[in-house]
Amino acid sequence: MKLTPKFTLALVAGVLVIQIGFGALRVQRERDLFLTDVGRDDRMVGRALALAAEREVKSSGVEDARRMLAEVDQRDTQVRIRWVDLGPDAPVSERPQAPLAILGPLARGEQVVAQIAENGGNLSSYSPVMLPGGGYAAIEVSNSLADERDYVGKSIRNAVLSTAALVALCGLMGWALGHLLIGRPVRLLVERARAIGGGDLEGAVVLAQRDELGDLADEMNAMASALAGTQRRLAEEADARVAVLEQLKHADRLRTVGTLASGIAHELGTPLNVIEGHAQLIAENDAAGDEVHDAAAVIKRQCKRMTGIIRQLLDFARREQSHDGSCDALAAARHTLDMIAPFAKKRGVKVLLEGPETLGEVSIPRDELVQVLSNLVINAIQANPEGGEVRITLAAVRVVPPWTKESERAMIRFVVSDDGCGMDEATRERVFEPFFTTKSVGEGTGLGLSVAYGIIAERGGFIDVTSDLGTGTAFSIFIPAFVPGPGNS
């Protein structure tokens, strides 16, 4: 139930309880006043009649006093007046309506008022009359309580009608005030809260009333304004973090390019020597006819080979903005292997690619996956002795990400393992920290693994590492498998 009906019902219930209580007290008070007034009048009448009856008894006897009272009784139809005998053997017609037990004060000359419930109820007053023999009789003055019942009934009806009118008025006023002061402001506050929950922080709720709800509206507007400022700052900080991450990615990519440059320079030596030899034959006229064409073809083929190597290196070094995308897992691994091959050859380390012929796509752009794999493979080559092996193993798996309570997800696992020196526990715990490195000066900056960790985490994956000192290291990369859908291109 909403606040306005609750407020109205509470107001009506309170008014109803108060009116019923006061109505009951008022009816009881009026009934008591009615009985008091009637009793007082009856006592006055009874006292006067008792005095007159005593005089009549003294002057003319008891029978004349009885006749006088009978005549008085006939003159008033509202009040019944009787001569009553207080003796135990009195005839039925002269016995009092009230029990003799409560009429004892008459013997002391006192008046008695009694309420009789018989015959619909009446109020009787008894005034003592002294008899010549020393005994007492009494004058009974009785008033029917029918008028009192009618009066009380009218009072109750008036109280009920006034209570109903007051309750209706209070209910109407409560509903109107509740809607104006509670219902409408609360509805506006709820709508504003929903808007804030939906991300609309620019609007405001304006309440003219200066009460608790008005204060709440002001605080809600202030909160929305503060959230909007915080949102802008977070957006700026997020943009700054993205820019820093892009710079770190590019710096790591350039570091990898520098590492690969020495191997590529060695790789370019052979085609350059071939080009130089054939060019010399042509320049010294030692080749003629078809030999000149063959030499030119060899030169062209070697130039294309060198151009391809250099373009591959430049493409890898080019700075690119992060974007959503996917790539073929096996093709990216082969591309990495081709790019790393000159560096591996120079270091005397064999790099092997193992896995099924087809794996499908992963949810990461190709340049980012190549950067991560090349970083890990170069580290593995540097950790391996000459003549060692580095293995890139691919497999489709279903795993539960370690930081969530989700169910299993389809992922592609890339394992880069080596037979190098390995790492101890302390090194393994810090391996993804920025600027932490165990390499010699000039061989590493300590950013490669932290950048790789950030790239994989950004794409919803994770990296695990196992290593034993002296036996080698294995980095396992888990990346969500790409699932084509309406929102994917």
Side-chain angles (χ1 to χ4, degrees):
M1 185 181 292
K2 295 187 176 181
L3 286 177
T4 297
K6 286 183 179 179
F7 171 76
T8 304
L9 288 178
L11 179 62
V12 168
V15 170
L16 190 60
V17 169
I18 293 174
Q19 281 296 107
I20 290 175
F22 277 108
L25 291 176
R26 184 170 63 252
V27 169
Q28 184 62 39
R29 183 173 65 252
E30 291 179 353
R31 184 173 181 275
D32 293 341
L33 288 174
F34 181 87
L35 293 176
T36 301
D37 291 341
V38 172
R40 183 175 60 250
D41 294 342
D42 288 351
R43 285 196 302 272
M44 292 176 62
V45 171
R47 174 62 67 186
L49 292 175
L51 292 175
E54 284 185 356
R55 288 195 297 269
E56 191 68 24
V57 168
K58 290 179 181 179
S59 62
S60 303
V62 173
E63 291 301 324
D64 288 342
R66 289 177 176 173
R67 284 194 295 272
M68 180 193 70
L69 291 178
E71 293 176 356
V72 173
D73 181 52
Q74 292 176 357
R75 295 174 185 173
D76 194 342
T77 59
Q78 297 293 328
V79 180
R80 184 181 181 188
I81 301 172
R82 291 194 310 141
W83 175 281
V84 294
D85 190 343
L86 299 179
D89 300 328
V92 176
S93 61
E94 293 185 356
R95 288 180 183 178
Q97 296 183 45
L100 292 176
I102 67 172
L103 299 179
L106 293 175
R108 299 190 296 272
E110 299 176 3
Q111 287 183 303
V112 175
V113 177
Q115 185 173 344
I116 310 302
E118 297 177 359
N119 301 322
N122 57 63
L123 187 68
S124 300
S125 68
Y126 296 87
S127 301
V129 177
M130 185 177 291
L131 299 176
Y136 281 92
I139 306 299
E140 181 185 74
V141 180
S142 298
N143 262 298
S144 175
L145 295 180
D147 292 341
E148 182 261 348
R149 289 193 297 272
D150 292 341
Y151 179 77
V152 171
K154 291 178 181 179
S155 297
I156 292 175
R157 284 194 298 273
N158 292 336
V160 170
L161 291 176
S162 63
T163 299
L166 185 59
V167 166
L169 179 61
C170 290
L172 182 61
M173 291 181 61
W175 185 271
L177 291 176
H179 176 73
L180 181 64
L181 300 179
I182 299 177
R184 179 179 174 276
V186 169
R187 178 175 56 81
L188 293 176
L189 290 171
V190 169
E191 291 175 355
R192 183 63 189 135
R194 289 174 178 168
I196 292 175
D200 180 11
L201 303 177
E202 299 302 325
V205 58
V206 180
L207 298 181
Q209 59 201 72
R210 294 295 87 194
D211 53 16
E212 289 83 352
L213 292 178
D215 295 340
L216 179 59
D218 293 340
E219 292 299 325
M220 185 174 290
N221 292 334
M223 178 190 69
S225 178
L227 287 176
T230 302
Q231 190 179 60
R232 287 191 294 271
R233 290 194 298 272
L234 289 176
E236 293 172 357
E237 292 175 1
D239 293 340
R241 283 196 298 271
V242 170
V244 170
L245 181 60
E246 290 297 329
Q247 292 175 358
L248 290 176
K249 289 179 182 178
H250 188 60
D252 180 67
R253 190 177 290 116
L254 293 179
R255 181 193 66 81
T256 303
V257 169
T259 303
L260 296 176
S262 59
I264 290 177
H266 180 269
E267 186 73 9
L268 294 177
T270 299
L272 283 174
N273 289 333
V274 172
I275 291 172
E276 182 182 9
H278 286 79
Q280 186 174 359
L281 288 176
I282 295 174
E284 295 177 355
N285 296 319
D286 290 337
D290 292 339
E291 292 181 350
V292 174
H293 292 89
D294 292 341
V298 170
I299 292 173
K300 182 178 180 181
R301 189 165 52 252
Q302 295 300 323
C303 285
K304 285 185 177 180
R305 178 184 175 188
M306 290 188 298
T307 301
I309 293 174
I310 294 173
R311 182 180 295 111
Q312 188 180 51
L313 185 63
L314 291 177
D315 289 342
F316 180 74
R318 184 179 299 113
R319 183 170 186 167
E320 296 182 3
Q321 295 294 325
S322 294
H323 57 278
D324 294 332
S326 61
C327 67
D328 184 275
L330 194 59
R334 286 172 177 164
H335 180 75
T336 303
L337 192 63
D338 292 341
M339 189 174 64
I340 298 296
F343 177 74
K345 182 178 180 181
K346 180 183 177 183
R347 299 291 292 248
V349 176
K350 184 182 296 185
V351 182
L352 305 176
L353 179 62
E354 302 173 352
E357 291 296 326
T358 57
L359 274 176
E361 296 187 349
V362 284
S363 299
I364 185 173
R366 174 174 166 171
D367 65 308
E368 292 187 359
L369 179 56
V370 170
Q371 180 175 354
V372 171
L373 291 176
S374 62
N375 190 298
L376 295 177
V377 172
I378 288 175
N379 287 347
I381 291 173
Q382 291 175 336
N384 254 23
E386 186 175 353
E389 289 184 353
V390 173
R391 292 166 297 281
I392 306 176
T393 307
L394 283 70
V397 296
R398 295 190 65 85
V399 296
V400 178
W403 63 87
T404 67
K405 296 182 180 179
E406 300 176 0
S407 56
E408 290 184 344
R409 297 178 59 185
M411 290 189 168
I412 304 297
R413 182 183 63 199
F414 301 78
V415 180
V416 178
S417 57
D418 62 67
D419 301 323
C421 58
M423 296 180 288
D424 56 23
E425 182 70 21
T427 303
R428 188 168 64 249
E429 289 181 355
R430 302 185 58 191
V431 71
F432 294 112
E433 292 182 12
F435 303 107
F436 175 77
T437 181
T438 58
K439 297 178 182 179
S440 302
V441 177
E443 289 191 356
T445 62
L447 284 176
L449 289 178
S450 63
V451 171
Y453 185 90
I455 292 174
I456 297 302
E458 185 181 8
R459 301 303 174 179
F462 64 96
I463 302 179
D464 189 22
V465 56
T466 58
S467 181
D468 292 319
L469 199 60
T471 60
T473 302
F475 283 88
S476 299
I477 307 169
F478 295 86
I479 304 174
F482 179 74
V483 181
N488 298 321
S489 58

